[in-house]
Amino acid sequence: MSLTLRTISREQHLAYIQSLPSASHMQVPAWADVKAEWRSESLGWFDKSGELVGAGLVLYRQLPKIKRYLAYLPEGPVINWFSPNLNDWLEPMLAHLKHQGAFSVKMGPPVIIRRWEATSIKAGIQNPDVKRLRDIEADFIEPRAFEVADKLRRMGWQQGEDGGAGFGDVQPRYVYQVPLANRSLEEVHKNFNQLWRRNIKKAEKAGVEVVQGGYQDLEEWQRLYEITAVRDHFRPRPLSYFQRMWTALNTEDPNRMRLYFARHDGVNLSAATMLIVGGHVWYSYGASDNIGREVRPSNAMQWRMLRDAYALGATVYDLRGISDSLDETDHLFGLIQFKVGTGGQAAEYLGEWDFPLNKLLHKALDIYMSRR
């Protein structure tokens, strides 16, 4: 199979993404505008007949003081990962990126390797010998994913350590998803654990209402998000980031990004952003106040977002990253516990992979990042 690769226009890129059942929100052309501090390029793969058969959004981050770049394809590229000739796809990409001045390439194949059902994870949490998701036998394994990993290694790609290069843009390897395809909403609700169902009812009884917000409500979002950052000890992104995200994504597609608030007695208690690409819907950022937790605003909001995703015809509602630690003393344990309550599945992606085009600069970057 002979493929050619070249830079494509944003319009071509978007049309290709729109022709697919779904793709990562980080592989739509507008994501380049969200990541304004990176240079960007849309790549297209063409088959012999000249048809566009794959696309990738590349973000270039310049090294301090020299005109060399890290080329990053977050959760991409969008190609046929199970193609028997994977190098026919990746070799022209590496040659092109090298020509563009890249010293290293980082990509995240959107390939799921294993899935665990909520019931298996619950059993694992109760088992003192189980410390990580990996210790539990997976309910689903994709054998082709192992072949992809083998091919990448043979081509010289290196698997990133968990936690990756520390660019702050490194994507989670483990995510939590609620499958919606071929299921009724009643089934989805029935699969929630007792606590979730009780909390949804509690919020309803208390009169919690969940509403959608717009661009003008992002300041209120930021207020709740900054409260969350203090409570959970992370550095919040600035309001300008979310304003840019809203403008960029919704200019590309008016239904790409949504904002939700759960309020009680006229006071906003929790908020979330939602992203939509085809049949894939993500709960992307969440925030909540320190007050009003007893009326369970977060459960009410998730249930509303899930119902809205279902109404959009989504095949999956994605709660994004989880840690693979099942240790109750781990500070991220509460997150997995909250998400497991939805009765969905944990999924493990192939993780991020690096190709050092210039081994010396790649090593220098590694050292620089590890010191930060």
Side-chain angles (χ1 to χ4, degrees), residues 22-189:
S22 75
S24 168
H25 60 276
M26 295 180 191
Q27 281 296 307
V28 300
W31 194 251
D33 301 330
V34 179
K35 297 289 165 192
E37 68 280 19
W38 300 66
R39 183 165 72 84
S40 65
E41 184 184 19
S42 291
L43 296 181
W45 281 258
F46 295 85
D47 66 10
K48 269 202 286 249
S49 68
E51 192 188 341
L52 184 61
V53 289
L57 176 70
V58 189
L59 302 174
Y60 294 98
R61 171 67 69 91
Q62 192 174 343
L63 268 187
K65 298 189 177 67
I66 55 170
K67 272 199 108 80
R68 299 302 290 278
Y69 301 87
L70 169 76
Y72 182 36
L73 294 98
E75 297 184 3
V78 186
I79 60 173
N80 176 9
W81 284 95
F82 299 133
S83 159
N85 325 22
L86 193 55
N87 42 352
D88 288 358
W89 294 83
L90 297 179
E91 272 166 16
M93 179 181 90
L94 288 173
H96 176 86
L97 296 176
K98 189 172 189 171
H99 186 69
Q100 291 287 332
F103 67 88
S104 188
V105 181
K106 180 183 279 297
M107 66 176 182
V111 174
I112 286 176
I113 193 163
R114 296 180 186 86
R115 290 184 189 275
W116 295 265
E117 298 290 347
T119 44
S120 306
I121 300 169
K122 280 180 209 155
I125 290 170
Q126 281 150 10
N127 181 343
D129 297 333
V130 168
K131 296 281 179 271
R132 303 199 161 272
L133 259 180
R134 286 273 187 100
D135 300 338
I136 304 170
E137 198 177 332
D139 294 290
F140 166 80
I141 289 181
E142 173 55 85
R144 294 179 303 171
F146 294 94
E147 289 167 29
V148 173
D150 283 344
K151 284 176 186 166
L152 291 176
R153 276 189 205 98
R154 283 203 299 273
M155 281 181 235
W157 289 86
Q158 301 166 0
Q159 193 156 21
E161 294 303 309
D162 280 332
F167 261 80
D169 284 287
V170 172
Q171 305 319 318
R173 184 158 180 175
Y174 295 90
V175 299
Y176 207 84
Q177 300 178 335
V178 181
L180 300 177
N182 309 317
R183 296 174 75 198
S184 67
L185 265 180
E186 291 70 41
E187 267 176 82
V188 174
H189 185 264

Side-chain angles (χ1 to χ4, degrees), residues 264-276:
H264 184 244
D265 292 341
V267 179
N268 292 317
L269 298 176
S270 62
T273 60
M274 182 161 119
L275 301 176
I276 301 151

